[in-house]
Amino acid sequence: MRAVVLVGGEGTRLRPLTLTAPKQMLPIVEQAMIERVLGHLADHGIDEAVLSLGYRPDAFSDAYPDGIIAGVRSTYAVEPTPLDTAGAIRFAAAFGGVDDTFVVLNGDVLTDIDIRGLVDFHKERGAEGTIALTPVDDPSSFGVVPTDADGRVTAFIEKPPRDEAPTNLINAGIYILEPSVLSRIAPDIRVSIERETFPAMVSDGTLYAQGSDAYWLDTGTPDAYLRAHRDLLSGRRGGIPTPDAVIDAELGSDVWTIGEVDAVPGSVTRSLLGRGSSIATNAKVSDSIVGAGAVVEDGAMVTESVLLPGARVAARASVDHSIVGPGAIVGQRCVVTGVSVIGADAVIASGTTLDGERYPTGS
């Protein structure tokens, strides 16, 4: 079975990180997001994918010139203009020659949803399309998808008041589609599958949905990006946080490392240190990811944060619940907090305080 993976968006909510890289090429605990997404597909028997690209497409072909991503043979379909969700699906499917039942997945969703099970459900119902659903505590910020007892979708309700929502199950951004769906989508123009294609299928009674309590996370915001790391580090998602990571018994029973690192016992707790990273003797790192080659200098503190590869936190600086981009420098005695996001190669002047800010500003 093949898949279409939607990765064309600009990732504006994650700026400035996405000014220099597509969102799906950002690492999640030292592994590119797209590898985690396609790795999940591979685990469920999907060995071919068409990536619907738009923003910075060369980043994918440069990183994976042979088209193999996490064991999945991948074709790169670059949209000539933005086509929205349905338009992108039709374009990519046509480009890749998809002519049988296929999977569609939003490329910024990390999940453990059983795709094989969803395919089985789809075929048992004789559905034209099937949507994976996931529960949320407050559906008022989402579109909810009520179904009948057989799983047939009865309506799409956009952002209902919390006390009026007929269900807390929302669209998880994973679909099983028959090729006939493609003929419902006008070519070469912007078409939304959520607002146009799916409602038409509801009217025809051909759209089904299945809920799942499996892990699911849309990584599109800074807070969610931090949570993706935290969930892997804490074990909320099972298994090791990332390939090649091992517990470093010398540093502590809750410290993961990849390859050689420079750190001493007592300086790091509940964290992962990437290959070649360095933590000064008097620095403190807790509940954080320190990317490959990143440096935390003397007296600095890093808490519940992500330092991307090559980042540097200078002496006596503090980074808390924030993201420091690749190659960025947080100057001496800086305070970075409140889900601040620092872009690639940015330099924060000594003594600066960033609280819930994005730097460079205006990004």
Side-chain angles (χ1 to χ4, degrees):
M1 181 171 285
R2 290 189 282 180
V4 169
V5 184
L6 303 178
V7 292
E10 295 185 11
T12 54
R13 294 178 297 169
L14 276 173
R15 288 180 179 169
L17 296 176
T18 50
L19 292 176
T20 52
K23 174 170 47 178
Q24 293 80 12
M25 290 302 296
L26 295 175
I28 303 291
V29 191
E30 297 293 90
Q31 184 181 26
M33 188 186 304
I34 190 65
E35 294 182 18
R36 292 188 179 274
V37 171
L38 266 63
H40 180 62
L41 294 177
D43 289 343
H44 289 263
I46 295 164
D47 57 6
E48 293 186 45
V50 185
L51 272 57
S52 178
L53 304 175
Y55 178 65
R56 291 184 171 269
D58 290 349
F60 297 90
S61 55
D62 290 348
Y64 311 103
D66 61 359
I68 304 299
I69 306 176
V72 177
R73 294 191 301 276
S74 302
T75 301
Y76 305 133
V78 183
E79 297 175 35
T81 58
L83 296 172
D84 210 331
T85 48
I89 291 168
R90 177 180 172 126
F91 175 82
F95 187 92
V98 174
D99 58 3
D100 200 353
T101 307
F102 65 104
V103 179
V104 175
L105 180 65
N106 287 343
D108 55 1
V109 167
L110 299 177
T111 184
D112 295 330
I113 285 175
D114 180 359
I115 293 176
R116 275 201 185 102
L118 190 67
V119 172
D120 290 344
F121 174 90
H122 171 86
K123 291 183 175 180
E124 289 166 2
R125 298 302 190 277
E128 185 180 21
T130 299
I131 304 173
L133 305 178
T134 189
V136 294
D137 292 334
D138 180 5
S140 62
S141 297
F142 302 91
V144 299
V145 186
T147 65
D148 67 16
D150 196 40
R152 193 190 307 266
V153 176
T154 58
F156 276 81
I157 303 174
E158 188 66 19
K159 298 181 179 179
R162 185 172 186 173
D163 57 352
E164 297 178 16
T167 177
N168 70 334
L169 292 172
I170 67 165
N171 181 352
I174 303 172
Y175 317 130
I176 313 300
L177 301 180
E178 294 301 315
S180 60
V181 174
L182 302 174
S183 65
R184 294 177 175 269
I185 305 167
D188 306 322
I189 62 172
R190 294 181 65 94
V191 182
S192 167
I193 199 165
E194 300 88 354
R195 295 188 298 274
E196 299 174 66
T197 312
F198 283 163
M201 294 169 68
V202 170
S203 296
D204 292 342
T206 63
L207 186 65
Y208 286 74
Q210 183 182 51
S212 172
D213 291 325
Y215 180 89
W216 180 90
L217 180 65
D218 175 347
T219 60
T221 66
D223 196 59
Y225 185 71
L226 285 169
R227 179 182 163 188
H229 289 78
R230 185 168 63 246
D231 287 349
L232 285 162
L233 194 60
S234 67
R236 184 168 184 265
R237 293 192 75 187
I240 64 174
T242 198
D244 301 326
V246 296
I247 288 289
D248 190 316
E250 182 178 347
L251 294 178
S253 61
D254 53 6
V255 179
W256 296 85
T257 60
I258 301 173
E260 294 294 325
V261 302
D262 182 10
V264 298
S267 62
V268 184
T269 55
R270 298 181 303 278
S271 296
L272 181 141
L273 307 182
R275 193 181 310 276
S277 59
S278 177
I279 313 299
T281 301
N282 293 323
K284 295 293 182 184
V285 174
S286 62
D287 303 288
S288 296
I289 306 297
V290 180
V295 175
V296 181
E297 295 184 356
D298 194 57
M301 295 185 63
V302 177
T303 308
E304 295 186 341
S305 294
V306 174
L307 309 184
L308 292 179
R312 179 178 293 268
V313 179
R316 299 183 298 284
S318 171
V319 178
D320 175 58
H321 204 65
S322 293
I323 306 164
V324 182
I329 298 174
V330 177
Q332 294 184 10
R333 303 181 306 283
C334 286
V335 176
V336 178
T337 189
V339 200
S340 291
V341 184
I342 298 170
D345 299 317
V347 178
I348 310 300
S350 296
T352 301
T353 295
L354 298 179
D355 187 354
E357 299 178 50
R358 305 196 183 198
Y359 188 90
T361 56
S363 56

